[in-house]
Amino acid sequence: MKMKYYKTMMELQALQNFNNPSNNMTNPNFETNFQDLLKSFLGQTGSNPVTERATVSLASLPNMMINSSSQMSISPSIPSSINSGSGTIDEIISKASAKFGVDEKLIRAVIQQESGFKTTAKSHAGAMGLMQLMPATARSLGVDNPFDASQNVEGGTKYLKQMLSRYNGDVSLALAAYNAGPGNVDKYGGIPPFKETQNYVRKITSTYQV
């Protein structure tokens, strides 16, 4: 929230006191005056019950900044737990891992390689979401919205599990099938001689094994 320019002598004096720690320490009315000034800016009065929620203590002053334009900003404190979406994605990965018996580290490595954890990712070929599901593959896995993180990770993990089962737990072959299709893995009797697929398998296995 940004406040208007200070125009009165009282406001200027309050700012002087605020910027002078020695004044703050010797003036017992500093905090009270500062609170009253802030409340007047917020358009609140003593009879307004909201005033109680607007009380500012000296302990909260580190969260308040007065910039070079003599404007005041109040920056709310945001818990780190909601400052990033990684926690929610971690929960989705853990749930899919437990449901299908696929190592969480492998799921994360595939997501990192496929989309860089971008839920809205879409390739030129039409692959979508965190684990880059093709439309037909998504439908076969019961994924209605490939851009929904939960649906995408569950569908992608389910498909990865199918490939792991098909190739007896061989991670390299499962990844090759995930990238190039099981038909090509069967055709070449191993990782297909495609540069993209070979790099794909190499990058993910190196990340997964760290």
Side-chain angles (χ1 to χ4, degrees):
M1 178 187 298
K2 290 188 175 181
M3 314 305 294
K4 62 186 179 181
Y5 289 106
Y6 300 122
K7 297 179 180 178
T8 70
M9 291 301 293
M10 182 185 72
E11 295 166 28
L12 292 174
Q13 184 62 50
L15 285 178
Q16 281 185 329
N17 290 338
F18 178 76
N19 288 315
N20 188 334
S22 63
N23 286 348
N24 299 346
M25 296 299 295
T26 59
N27 182 358
N29 296 320
F30 170 74
E31 182 172 356
T32 301
N33 291 341
F34 187 82
Q35 290 176 11
D36 291 341
L37 178 61
L38 179 63
K39 292 172 187 177
S40 70
F41 282 145
L42 295 175
Q44 297 168 340
T45 65
S47 60
N48 191 332
V50 179
T51 301
E52 296 302 319
R53 297 197 294 272
T55 299
V56 177
S57 68
L58 290 176
S60 68
L61 292 181
N63 288 329
M64 306 181 67
M65 302 170 292
I66 298 180
N67 61 28
S68 59
S69 298
S70 295
Q71 293 179 316
M72 179 180 288
S73 298
I74 302 178
S75 302
S77 216
I78 302 176
S80 60
S81 61
I82 64 172
N83 203 26
S84 171
S86 62
T88 300
I89 293 177
D90 281 345
E91 291 174 1
I92 292 171
I93 291 173
S94 295
K95 183 178 178 180
S97 171
K99 183 173 182 177
F100 297 106
V102 177
D103 193 333
E104 287 187 34
K105 287 179 62 179
L106 181 58
I107 300 172
R108 286 192 181 90
V110 170
I111 293 175
Q112 178 61 50
Q113 182 63 31
E114 290 284 358
S115 66
F117 286 88
K118 185 177 180 181
T119 58
T120 58
K122 186 173 183 178
S123 72
H124 294 298
M128 299 172 284
L130 290 171
M131 298 188 75
Q132 291 290 276
L133 303 178
M134 293 295 289
T137 303
R139 287 193 296 271
S140 70
L141 295 168
V143 176
D144 297 322
N145 179 11
F147 295 113
D148 177 84
S150 182
Q151 288 190 44
N152 190 287
V153 172
E154 181 167 336
T157 303
K158 180 179 180 180
Y159 185 67
L160 188 57
K161 175 63 175 181
Q162 291 174 357
M163 297 302 102
L164 286 167
S165 298
R166 180 168 181 153
Y167 297 106
N168 300 312
D170 190 312
V171 173
S172 293
L173 292 182
L175 291 172
Y178 194 98
N179 177 259
N184 280 316
V185 174
D186 294 344
K187 176 181 178 180
Y188 292 100
I191 300 174
F194 309 144
K195 186 175 181 179
E196 177 190 335
T197 301
Q198 292 178 349
N199 287 337
Y200 179 88
V201 173
R202 176 178 54 80
K203 289 179 180 178
I204 293 182
T205 52
S206 63
T207 302
Y208 170 58
Q209 293 170 356
V210 170

